[in-house]
């Protein structure tokens, strides 16, 4: 997933004990919607830990998508 974020300042870490990767991305506020789109494109392979406001925006977008899918039935 690192190539998706290659235009941003990033730092990748691998935790051998937990067999997981951590990617720290630094971005400008104006890029936030683009970052959210990139994160959502990764599906269940990603967990946003912080910042909390970004995590909450992603949760809100997923809830909206679920409502759209459920309302069409």
């Amino acid at each position: 997933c690192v190539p998706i974020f290659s235009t941003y300042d990033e730092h990748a870490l691998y935790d051998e004990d937990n067999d997981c990767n951590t990617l720290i991305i630094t971005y400008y506020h104006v890029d936030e919607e683009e970052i959210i789109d990139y994160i959502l494109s990764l599906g269940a392979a990603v967990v946003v830990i912080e910042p909390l406001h970004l995590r909450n925006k992603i949760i809100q977008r997923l809830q909206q998508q679920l409502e759209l899918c459920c309302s069409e039935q």
Side-chain angles (χ1 to χ4, degrees):
C1 76
V2 175
I4 294 174
F5 301 104
S6 63
T7 59
Y8 301 96
D9 184 22
E10 61 183 75
H11 183 71
L13 305 167
Y14 176 67
D15 181 351
E16 286 186 39
D17 296 333
N18 296 310
D19 189 32
C20 69
N21 292 294
T22 300
L23 182 63
I24 300 168
I25 302 165
T26 304
Y27 64 92
Y28 293 105
H29 180 71
V30 296
D31 295 327
E32 192 163 87
E33 287 302 316
E34 184 174 276
I35 290 288
I36 290 171
D37 290 341
Y38 287 153
I39 291 170
L40 289 173
S41 75
L42 297 172
V46 65
V47 175
V48 175
I49 299 170
E50 58 181 317
L52 190 56
H53 79 275
L54 182 66
R55 179 181 169 94
N56 289 336
K57 282 185 176 185
I58 290 170
I59 290 169
Q60 182 181 30
R61 286 265 295 270
L62 290 170
Q63 288 172 336
Q64 289 170 343
Q65 289 175 341
L66 182 60
E67 287 174 16
L68 285 173
C69 290
C70 292
S71 67
E72 292 179 6
Q73 293 180 3

